[in-house]
Amino acid sequence: MSGIGWAWGVLAVLPAWAQADLAPCDESRTPFAQALPHAGATAGPAQAHAVGADRFRWPGQPAEGRYRLLHSPQGGIQADVGTAARGFAQALSFNVSTEPLPAAFAWVGAGATLQFATALDRASRLALLQGQALLVREDEQGRVLAATRLQNAGALDALFADAAEPLALGIQRRPGGTEGRLWAPTARAVEVCVYPGAQAAPSQRFAAQWDAASGSWHWQQPVDLQGQFVNYLVEVWVDGQGWVRQRVTDPYAVSLSANSRRTAVLDLADPRTQPPGWGAPTGVREIKRLNEMVVYELHVRDFSRDDPSVRPAWRGKYPAFTEARSQGMRHLRELARVGVTDIHLLPVFDLATVPEKSCIEPKLPKAPPNSPLQQAAVMAVAAQDCFNCGYDPYHFNAPEGSYATDADDPFARVREFRQMVLALHRAGLRVGLDKVYNHTTASGQNERSVLDRVVPGYYQRLNANGEVEKSTCCDNTATEHRMMAKLMSDSLLLWSREYKLDSYRFDLMGHQPRAAMLAMRERLRRELGREILFIGEGWNFGEVANGARFVQASQLSLKGDGIGTFSDRGRDAARGGSFGSVKELMGSKGWLNGLLDDPAKRADAVKAADLLRLQLAGTLAEFRFTTHTGATQRGAEIDYAGQPAGYAAQPGEAVHYVENHDNHTLFDANVLKLPARASMLERLHRQNVGNALVAWSQGTVYVHAGQELLRSKSLDRNSYDSGDAFNRLDYGLRDNGFGHGLPPAPDNGRDWDTIAPLLGDPTLQPTPAQLRQAVAAFHDVMRIRASSSLFSLPSADEVQKRLRFHAAGPGQDPALIVAELDGTGWPGARVGGLLRVFNGASEAREFSVPGAWRLHPVHTARQAADQRVALEARQAKAGALRVPAWSAVAWVR
């Protein structure tokens, strides 16, 4: 045992000849992963779990029997069923344990729980983490009955996390030099390669020093490496491949060279990273409650790529936001004036799939609006073009280089990102980011796999056989492991502190533990002294569904925790189904786009109307109102696809939306679901009712960029990699993106026959005047929301007390939703009451509500976008209120 312990540390310091050999550092001379000598490596299933430092659970195996752990530092173990194992250097016996598993491993299947028969000292236990290890069950004659590799994350957490969690990982400048720390507890050696420039040949190679307590490798240099670059050489055992020397970037990199090839040594306090004015207070209003947020979801490249008022070198880049007089910035400032509070940027951390230098902008052919030629040109270069939505994380802590003017300049990425934030703050807008911690772009021995090449098998969530789970789309991360949770927490703190960010949206947040999310939010409060608001996708699916591995940060699990989750309840009620073939979508209509027009669907229509009423009440679990059944029901008692429709404890915990970057835009969904004969004016009005259903609800309001201008993606259902052509955003209001060709074949080809006639219909293309009217109508909706604090009541109790519905219950007209808010004595209400009325019918509707009501001043203003409202109100019978077809109208008392 002592010999193995000695081997652990002896390779930490390389001989002098090795320090002079720079070939392993040089991308032009050696591959990113270099095989090293070993005696053989097995690539079978990894079915046994380390559930602590010294205990293991092997699901499916009996408690009785002879179990041993076979280990060899150089590999070569053979453990074939039916024969005696051979080639191992050490065999450790086990006792069967009857103690229950730790709570974190309660999900592991039933089987044998094993503990080392002889206690191991720490050095001996650490040695077992290097090289090949197999757990075997043998018969009395020593023949193998079953063999498995190990999933070691539980042991790594137990052995190292307590000491590692407080440490500062990554690279820092210190007085008189530079230091770095990399968590790589299973590595037998870690070295540092230094590069004087982004494209320069390596200049140094030296060894990092092992810290046995934390599992990290630390290095110091008595020189300031600021502005230079480093990479690591990490020697790790990879099951199935043996010892591999990985040339890899730092997982904690804060900036990089182009295409993420090298880690920049960068002090974020360096003046070269700070634009003029960066040190001043942001000047934006702090928002402490979710239901005060009105979020505008925006892609950095979309924002300015097609804006002729932005200088060409800045289009699609961070600095475009500093063009104060551009069409885009004028548009955003106007949104801020009418009540939008937060810009949420689609992923801007370092991405894997956009070339950061010399990306290709395809030349689109001149072709009919329903031609396949445009998408063919886009798809031909999709892997090399300049666009991706960005849900492909490479480095979590560094700004994406394709949005910088010089991706090889590590200072530019940071400085220009900060310029963008500063410009948005000066426009009166808070800034939030879309964070994607639930998966990585790659794992294993892929060049773009960073975490899994540094600590194989730890950062990725594995299935019962040790294979990486991919339910999120890609290679899932194990956010329940302590050092992955640390990475998330450290990353959020860095972005919040160094870039002055105000809020976050978490992609597929339901794949992350509730406890980790709450701990991260509390850490930000404690260390920054301000509130950073969290919202996210709380979908419940995959290997973690229904709390299978931990309590998730999902819709039903976060009730009362003050983290917002996107609500599909009101979304589906309003727009109908969003999934399936186009023909299926056409038949799955919502309250906004045809459900009300089919008398045979009355039962579905009244259910949809009740779901929308519940949305207006914040999707609250305990809010009570009379539903179409005639009963007074709580939100949690109303059914939504077998789940409680109401799930939020307080307003804001449900994020309301009718469109985001996923799926068809609302305009496109309406193209598919409304009759082709529907006029463009009708489509505009229906879109605006959808906007009002979201904006006038209690809760967090979420709007997709371009939703206000009838944005289309030419009927593309999944535009994440569809290039600029299908993601065009035109703040000049020349066109809305419809009829730019058949959408890309990979996700839409099966539907081309159905959608081609629609794309070829010129009546479905709005004019610039209609786009201006749509934007003006959206502004009016937002002005009405901003006019009173009644739209953002702070508690479920106040919502219950002040909100009531008229014209509801079993005899309702499902096309008419009438919601009254009592403003008596409420600070900031500005009125005695508010009446919100939504008419989804194709005719005007009249109704009566007790009280003296007058149209909201926004509707009666000379510049009101929808002049029908005032006209219809004047035509109402005595004692009645009248609303136009397809309208959202507000009255005040």
Side-chain angles (χ1 to χ4, degrees):
M1 291 300 300
S2 60
I4 296 175
W6 170 83
W8 177 270
V10 73
L11 290 174
V13 180
L14 295 175
W17 62 266
Q19 296 187 44
D21 181 7
L22 297 178
C25 298
D26 193 336
E27 302 98 326
S28 66
R29 298 167 64 188
T30 55
F32 67 88
Q34 187 176 5
L36 301 175
H38 64 277
T42 303
Q47 297 171 332
H49 300 258
V51 296
D54 299 301
R55 281 205 298 158
F56 303 84
R57 165 65 67 83
W58 191 352
Q61 296 297 321
E64 63 280 352
R66 170 178 154 174
Y67 291 90
R68 293 196 299 167
L69 180 66
L70 311 180
H71 178 257
S72 172
Q74 285 299 321
I77 303 175
Q78 298 181 47
D80 301 319
V81 172
T83 64
R86 58 194 185 277
F88 52 89
Q90 184 182 20
L92 299 173
S93 299
F94 289 101
N95 291 330
V96 173
S97 171
T98 58
E99 292 183 21
L101 296 185
F105 294 94
W107 59 273
V108 177
T113 303
L114 310 170
Q115 188 154 1
F116 289 123
T118 302
L120 303 181
D121 61 30
R122 183 175 178 82
S124 299
R125 183 64 185 92
L126 299 188
L128 295 176
L129 297 173
Q130 292 186 332
Q132 185 183 13
L134 290 177
L135 183 57
V136 295
R137 180 167 67 91
E138 300 167 318
D139 63 17
E140 294 301 321
Q141 287 73 43
R143 292 172 299 205
V144 174
L145 298 173
T148 182
R149 295 186 295 112
L150 302 174
Q151 297 188 28
N152 266 325
L156 297 180
D157 277 346
L159 289 165
F160 302 111
D162 284 346
E165 281 178 332
L167 296 177
L169 300 179
I171 302 171
Q172 289 87 32
R173 292 170 87 186
R174 300 297 187 208
T178 310
E179 68 174 329
R181 188 178 293 271
L182 177 75
W183 192 68
T186 62
R188 70 179 184 184
V190 172
E191 304 165 73
V192 183
C193 300
V194 179
Y195 310 85
Q199 305 298 328
S203 61
Q204 284 182 274
R205 174 188 173 193
F206 57 85
Q209 303 301 310
W210 166 244
D211 174 11
S214 66
S216 64
W217 296 78
H218 180 252
W219 57 271
Q220 290 180 300
Q221 290 289 291
V223 293
D224 186 355
L225 297 177
Q226 175 81 333
Q228 298 190 48
F229 297 83
V230 302
N231 275 339
Y232 287 108
L233 299 176
V234 184
E235 293 187 13
V236 287
W237 180 270
V238 179
D239 283 321
Q241 299 189 45
W243 285 108
V244 180
R245 179 189 288 138
Q246 312 276 10
R247 186 176 58 248
V248 64
T249 46
D250 187 344
Y252 273 71
V254 298
S255 196
L256 301 135
S257 66
N259 297 323
S260 314
R261 290 171 64 243
R262 295 173 177 175
T263 307
V265 178
L266 193 67
D267 181 352
L268 294 175
D270 190 299
R272 288 172 287 180
T273 69
Q274 300 185 0
W278 182 248
T282 65
V284 294
R285 178 172 66 98
E286 183 179 1
I287 292 178
K288 295 185 177 182
R289 296 202 319 267
L290 287 166
N291 65 328
E292 297 178 17
M293 279 209 306
V294 178
V295 178
Y296 188 78
E297 179 192 58
L298 181 63
H299 187 282
V300 167
R301 184 169 173 83
D302 290 354
F303 171 69
S304 61
R305 165 60 182 81
D306 296 294
D307 189 341
S309 62
V310 173
R311 66 195 71 183
W314 286 5
R315 292 175 193 168
K317 309 288 187 180
Y318 301 127
F321 290 86
T322 68
E323 292 270 30
R325 300 192 179 191
S326 70
Q327 293 172 353
M329 284 307 296
R330 289 200 302 268
H331 190 92
L332 294 189
R333 283 196 299 274
E334 188 61 32
L335 290 180
R337 280 192 284 270
V338 300
V340 170
T341 64
D342 289 57
I343 297 296
H344 271 200
L345 299 170
L346 268 68
V348 288
F349 49 75
D350 183 53
L351 316 175
T353 51
V354 177
E356 293 182 345
K357 296 183 78 172
S358 304
C359 62
I360 298 172
E361 298 192 23
K363 293 183 179 179
L364 299 180
K366 290 185 178 180
N370 56 1
S371 169
L373 295 179
Q374 297 94 324
Q375 68 84 35
V378 171
M379 289 295 98
V381 296
Q384 296 87 39
D385 77 347
C386 306
F387 178 90
N388 195 285
C389 271
Y391 292 85
D392 50 345
Y394 201 166
H395 295 85
F396 292 110
N397 296 348
E400 163 62 8
S402 68
Y403 301 143
T405 56
D406 183 354
D408 262 338
D409 181 350
F411 298 95
R413 291 190 194 216
V414 175
R415 182 179 60 254
E416 291 173 2
F417 192 106
R418 286 170 164 171
Q419 286 175 329
M420 172 182 66
V421 173
L422 186 61
L424 289 170
H425 280 161
R426 286 174 172 171
L429 292 160
R430 292 155 37 94
V431 183
L433 301 187
D434 192 333
K435 302 303 289 182
V436 187
Y437 294 117
N438 62 83
H439 66 262
T440 53
T441 301
S443 62
Q445 290 303 289
N446 188 294
E447 185 173 8
R448 290 173 172 169
S449 167
V450 177
L451 298 175
D452 207 21
R453 290 202 290 127
V454 172
V455 193
Y458 177 82
Y459 284 104
Q460 314 295 152
R461 186 176 297 130
L462 308 178
N463 66 16
N465 286 319
E467 301 154 336
V468 176
E469 294 277 13
K470 300 188 181 225
S471 58
T472 60
C473 78
C474 311
D475 296 348
N476 295 3
T477 53
T479 49
E480 65 272 26
H481 296 165
R482 290 175 62 181
M483 294 302 287
M484 182 61 207
K486 172 181 168 60
L487 175 55
M488 289 196 299
S489 181
D490 290 350
S491 176
L492 278 187
L493 179 62
L494 182 144
W495 285 103
S496 304
R497 182 183 60 219
E498 301 296 343
Y499 296 98
K500 301 184 180 181
L501 299 173
D502 306 289
S503 57
Y504 292 100
R505 178 231 190 236
F506 294 89
D507 180 67
L508 298 184
M509 184 175 64
H511 272 56
Q512 295 163 198
R514 170 181 173 270
M517 295 298 302
L518 296 178
M520 289 191 295
R521 188 183 60 180
E522 182 54 36
R523 183 185 184 189
L524 295 181
R525 284 175 178 163
R526 184 177 64 251
E527 300 203 23
L528 300 178
R530 59 190 176 99
E531 189 72 22
I532 306 288
L533 297 175
F534 287 5
I535 63 174
E537 292 182 302
W539 313 132
N540 176 36
F541 70 97
E543 72 283 354
V544 298
N546 303 314
R549 297 201 181 194
F550 47 78
V551 177
Q552 303 153 261
S554 60
Q555 282 178 336
L556 301 184
S557 301
L558 283 171
K559 181 180 176 183
D561 287 328
I563 294 176
T565 58
F566 285 84
S567 171
D568 41 0
R569 280 68 165 158
R571 178 201 70 188
D572 290 350
R575 61 180 281 161
S578 298
F579 304 97
S581 69
V582 160
K583 288 183 178 178
E584 290 171 322
L585 293 179
M586 288 176 163
S588 180
K589 300 177 188 294
W591 191 91
L592 282 175
N593 49 32
L595 181 61
L596 300 171
D597 302 328
D598 186 351
K601 294 289 183 70
R602 175 177 167 80
D604 293 333
V606 294
K607 291 177 183 177
D610 278 346
L611 287 175
L612 291 173
R613 291 184 180 96
L614 182 61
Q615 174 177 293
L616 291 169
T619 313
L620 294 169
E622 299 303 317
F623 182 81
R624 301 173 66 86
F625 69 104
T626 302
T627 67
H628 71 278
T629 65
T632 298
Q633 292 182 284
R634 297 182 298 113
E637 294 171 332
I638 300 172
D639 178 71
Y640 169 78
Q643 304 174 69
Y647 65 84
Q650 299 297 337
E653 291 181 356
V655 179
H656 299 130
Y657 70 113
V658 76
E659 172 182 326
N660 74 351
H661 69 274
D662 288 323
N663 308 116
H664 292 102
T665 67
L666 179 58
F667 179 89
D668 285 347
N670 289 344
V671 166
L672 298 176
K673 298 184 184 195
L674 289 175
R677 66 179 181 276
S679 70
M680 185 53 61
L681 197 57
E682 175 185 340
R683 294 173 189 279
L684 188 159
H685 291 322
R686 288 184 186 263
Q687 179 108 359
N688 199 54
V689 174
N691 294 337
L693 281 167
V694 171
W696 295 355
S697 292
Q698 303 292 328
T700 305
V701 175
Y702 205 83
V703 177
H704 179 219
Q707 181 177 325
E708 74 280 17
L709 51 87
L710 308 181
R711 185 178 187 177
S712 169
K713 296 183 179 180
S714 206
L715 300 181
D716 192 350
R717 67 167 62 241
N718 187 16
S719 68
Y720 82 98
D721 197 23
S722 298
D724 299 314
F726 295 93
N727 287 281
R728 188 166 185 265
L729 183 57
D730 181 9
Y731 288 124
L733 305 184
R734 292 172 291 271
D735 83 80
N736 73 333
F738 187 80
H740 284 200
L742 284 166
D747 286 311
N748 303 277
R750 60 177 174 163
D751 298 314
W752 277 359
D753 289 345
T754 305
I755 63 180
L758 297 171
L759 290 170
D761 184 349
T763 67
L764 294 175
Q765 175 65 62
T767 65
Q770 289 166 332
L771 296 181
R772 290 193 295 273
Q773 183 180 357
V775 172
F778 178 83
H779 287 172
D780 281 358
V781 164
M782 297 306 303
R783 287 189 183 99
I784 289 171
R785 175 185 168 85
S787 70
S788 175
S789 62
L790 290 174
F791 287 104
S792 54
L793 294 171
S795 70
D797 288 343
E798 288 295 340
V799 175
Q800 186 69 66
K801 176 182 174 182
R802 296 183 178 274
L803 173 62
R804 62 179 295 202
F805 293 107
H806 301 279
Q812 68 178 271
D813 174 357
L816 193 65
I817 298 174
V818 183
E820 180 183 352
L821 282 165
D822 182 7
T824 305
W826 186 249
R830 298 181 181 172
V831 292
L834 270 169
L835 197 66
R836 297 161 292 167
V837 183
F838 305 88
N839 181 15
S842 54
E843 306 89 18
R845 287 286 196 268
E846 287 194 0
F847 58 96
S848 296
V849 174
W853 298 96
R854 60 183 174 85
L855 280 177
H856 194 287
V858 167
H859 290 309
T860 57
R862 216 166 102 188
Q863 67 273 24
D866 191 350
Q867 297 290 328
R868 302 176 308 151
V869 173
L871 178 63
E872 293 283 355
R874 288 194 295 271
Q875 295 175 349
K877 297 174 185 174
L881 302 177
R882 183 179 174 92
V883 289
W886 312 304
S887 65
V889 182
W891 275 269
V892 297
R893 187 178 64 222

